[in-house]
Amino acid sequence: MKLFRNIVVLTGTGISAESGLPTFRDSGGLWEGVNPEEVASAAAYELDPWHVNDFFNMRRSAAQRVNPNAAHFALAKLQKTQGFSCYLVTQNIDDLHEHAGSPQVHHIHGELSKRRCHGCGHVCDIRGDIDPDTACPSCRCTGMARPHVVLFGEIPIGFDKAIEITRQCELFISIGTSGSVYPAANLVNVAYDAGATTVCANLEILSAGMFDIHIEGQATQIIPNLVEEILTGRLNA
Ligand code: BV8
Ligand code: ZN
């Protein structure tokens, strides 16, 4: 057993599934019957911005109707416990980690609760739908509002920083992600190559990536236990 104090956690949609938000690749997921390239790619946005906006308006309205679950709360507790450093990187665009009290959340794929001006890049908060006539508060132009979300083909937000912090961690935990999307899916390899212990906590066991430990199950069951093991130095690594 070992006490880990310098931790990086990467989450995916699986951690929000029990809050009622769909994942992408499970049955009934967001990509079932939808071609991601048509609603979540840079090319799709250039071709038909309002088709892309509609897709994320639907996602934003769903995300505003759900609450964080025990897994989100457990991670917030780990982050707030004296003596532990836990850097949270999420691929999720919902704000359930924030609502669970996480003091730091790095959204490498953006956030539904923010919109960006396609003209000047100004980012501001948004609650309801993005509509075509919304004027940018900075450059005042209309018809250029888009979700502040990283589409396929776009550059993840602050990824160099995520790599830098992952390189220095002792423990890397991947929660509720299929590891299908790059470069996020590479973070476990960065941690492994830097000598960290790597943990995959997921509903299904993944063959991808260099994981030392696999914990299979629903996030609300396995994550509170995992956090307790980390806090009490009982993680069997
Ligand atoms: C980039 C937007 C250059 C917001 C997302 C060919 C090969 C390799 C790579 C590529 C390629 N062709 C193109 C690429 C690059 C591409 C990519 O990786 N494509 C994939 C599909 C092959 N990547 C990009 O375009 C990225 N940009 O590469 O730019 C660059 C690179 C480096 C540095 C600078 C520039 C941009 C990627 C971002 C795309 N935007 N989302 C949104 O809609 O949310 S991706 C989207 O899918 C998510 O954000 C997330 O990142 C990704 C994966 O989703 P998951 O969260 O893992 O969800 P999934 O359904 O897949 O899995 C859920 C898991 O949870 C399952 O395993 C399930 O078992 C588990 N689960 C379910 N329930 C529970 C559970 N676990 C626990 N408890 C439960 N209850
Ligand atoms: Zn603007």
Side-chain angles (χ1 to χ4, degrees), residues 117 120 136 139 141:
C117 175
C120 73
C136 168
C139 70
C141 65

Side-chain angles (χ1 to χ4, degrees), residues 7-78:
I7 303 156
V8 167
V9 175
L10 171 70
T11 60
T13 48
I15 198 171
S16 301
E18 291 162 270
S19 291
L21 291 181
T23 62
F24 287 99
R25 294 168 183 84
D26 294 319
S27 67
L30 284 159
W31 294 157
E32 196 165 72
V34 171
N35 175 359
E37 293 296 321
E38 284 173 18
V39 288
S41 70
Y45 182 80
E46 293 306 324
L47 207 62
D48 185 350
W50 300 111
H51 185 46
V52 173
N53 268 322
D54 286 346
F55 175 67
F56 288 99
N57 285 342
M58 175 272 289
R59 303 270 304 280
R60 184 176 307 104
S61 131
Q64 285 165 355
R65 291 197 298 269
V66 296
N67 297 304
N69 62 50
H72 296 105
F73 285 112
L75 290 180
K77 176 181 173 185
L78 177 59

Side-chain angles (χ1 to χ4, degrees), residues 116-122 135-141 144:
R116 187 167 81 235
C117 175
H118 196 52
C120 73
H122 178 77
C136 168
S138 170
C139 70
R140 308 304 311 156
C141 65
M144 299 289 270

Side-chain angles (χ1 to χ4, degrees), residues 17 42 76 102 161 168:
S102 275
K161 176 174 181 181
Q168 295 154 38

